[in-house]
Every structure is written in structure tokens, then in C-alpha cells.
Amino acid sequence: MSSLTNEWQIKTKENDIKYVIGIKNFDKKIKTFRSGREIHSKIFKICSSAFKVIIYPGGDEENEDYVSVFLHNMNPWRVRAIYEFSLQDKYFSVNQGEKYFANYGGYGEPQFIPHSSCTRDDLLSEDGVLSLQVDVELLEEEVVAENQEDTADKLKS
């Protein structure tokens, strides 16, 4: 469903990225998306590791009155990272701190934003866009040996 989003990234350091996801007409999506229906970002990379963001406009199954957001490790290895969700150009953020992500595992905020704040005169832009920013600093990746060889071969060519 990444066609529902506009996405861009800013690499701030070798192991640090700001990933921004803009979702148009978000105020309408929280009314029409049932609980558990997701919008996912494109997969983005930091060093050798890949991640994606999953957003539940109608909330996850247990939090129907909130927007839920999660960061997922898309690798067959464990990573350690610091991450923060925020709304671009708004004074609203949730710092998740340092976490160990299991292979293909994720963490997030099931009660990131209450639906009552998802209005054009509050946390959304004037044209109804939710601009979610995810700051990720990769601290450690436990890349398996065969993947390290693949990476080394790519660097040689």
C-alpha cells in the first residue's frame, strides 16, 4: 500500500536516517480504515539492514481510538537501534529509546496519536496530510557471515 504515501529519507550519518512518510487525506483514512488495516512504507536501508514502518490509521486490533505506528526489522538478523516517531513540523514526538529488534521483529507505539487529534486544525496539515517522521540510529547489526561475504563482494566491484 505504499502508493498511499509520499516518502523520502535524509541520511544524517552513516548509521542514522530520518525517514518521512506523508499520508494524504489522513482524517478520512482514520474513519474508513478498520482496526488492524495497515499502510506500510517502502523498505529503507541503513548500512546492511532494512526496515519498514507500519501505520494503522484505525489503530491496531487493541487500540481502535488511536493511530498505531511500528518500526519493523526486515532482516534475518538481530539489530540494536534507537528510534523516535514524530510529526514533522509539529511539536509531537515519542522517543522509543534503544531496542533490540529480533530478526523480522518490530516495536512501536500502539497509542501514538488519539483519533480526536487527527484534524486539519490540530496535528494534520491544512490539506489533511499526516507527516510522520521516523528517526533511526542503527547501533549494532548481527549480520550472518554469508551476508557479510555478499556485502564484501559488492564493495569490491
Side-chain angles (χ1 to χ4, degrees):
M1 285 202 180
S2 59
S3 63
L4 296 174
T5 65
N6 292 320
E7 302 176 31
W8 61 96
Q9 63 187 26
I10 302 166
K11 187 175 180 180
T12 54
K13 291 188 256 179
E14 188 63 33
N15 65 327
D16 199 334
I17 196 168
K18 290 183 185 298
Y19 198 80
V20 180
I21 305 162
I23 305 172
K24 295 178 185 173
N25 298 313
F26 195 78
D27 48 349
K28 294 178 183 170
K29 287 180 177 57
I30 63 170
K31 294 175 185 169
T32 59
F33 275 52
R34 71 185 185 291
S35 175
R37 184 175 172 199
E38 64 188 42
I39 296 174
H40 59 86
S41 73
K42 296 174 184 166
I43 293 174
F44 58 95
K45 291 191 82 170
I46 306 171
C47 300
S48 296
S49 296
F51 297 89
K52 78 174 174 181
V53 177
I54 298 179
I55 304 153
Y56 296 90
D60 64 7
E61 285 83 9
E62 299 172 11
N63 296 284
E64 296 177 357
D65 294 327
Y66 292 86
V67 176
S68 304
V69 294
F70 297 89
L71 177 65
H72 280 266
N73 174 14
M74 302 302 295
N75 305 290
W77 57 79
R78 211 168 76 137
V79 298
R80 184 170 57 101
I82 297 172
Y83 70 103
E84 178 179 28
F85 296 118
S86 61
L87 297 182
Q88 198 173 43
D89 302 325
K90 305 287 182 184
Y91 296 105
F92 186 90
S93 68
V94 177
N95 186 330
Q96 294 293 327
E98 184 179 315
K99 302 281 187 191
Y100 273 99
F101 289 78
N103 48 328
Y104 303 109
Y107 285 105
E109 187 57 48
Q111 296 182 355
F112 180 57
I113 308 169
H115 284 167
S116 59
S117 297
C118 292
T119 62
R120 294 174 188 231
D121 61 347
D122 196 351
L123 295 178
L124 305 182
S125 70
E126 290 178 4
D127 53 352
V129 174
L130 176 78
S131 293
L132 176 67
Q133 179 174 309
V134 184
D135 296 291
V136 183
E137 180 181 358
L138 186 63
L139 302 173
E140 180 178 293
E141 19 182 19
E142 296 176 356
V143 181
V144 289
E146 64 187 41
N147 290 339
Q148 288 177 335
E149 290 171 10
D150 292 342
T151 302
D153 290 341
K154 288 178 187 176
L155 291 174
K156 290 177 186 175
S157 54

